[in-house]
Amino acid sequence: MDIAGKVFVVTGGASGLGEGTARMLAREGGRVVVADLQEEAGRKVAADIGGVFVRCDVSQEADARAAVAAALKLGKLVGLVNCAGI
């Protein structure tokens, strides 16, 4: 898959597998929305990769809609990687 220039949402993107995925997508030229409950860590990851942070509890529809809306501001949303959860 050609990642460059494409938009992705990564839930759980503030740490662990989600953070690694967000960093890889950005490194390959993707535009990334880091969606997570961990605000401080999520903002740091987003700043590091040139992405956008959205506070998101994936069990709440309004939060999920906010993450998608943030992604659509970056361009056509082509992917979601779900790494949220304990």
Side-chain angles (χ1 to χ4, degrees), residues 12-46:
S15 63
L17 184 59
E19 178 183 357
T21 301
R23 290 184 183 281
M24 182 277 301
L25 289 168
R27 187 172 49 252
E28 296 297 320
R31 304 188 74 195
V32 181
V33 172
V34 176
D36 206 297
L37 287 172
Q38 300 179 69
E39 292 188 43
E40 186 176 336
R43 289 184 195 286
K44 181 181 182 327
V45 171

Side-chain angles (χ1 to χ4, degrees), residues 46-59:
D48 287 352
I49 66 173
V52 174
F53 172 75
V54 175
R55 186 195 176 283
C56 181
D57 176 343
V58 297
S59 71

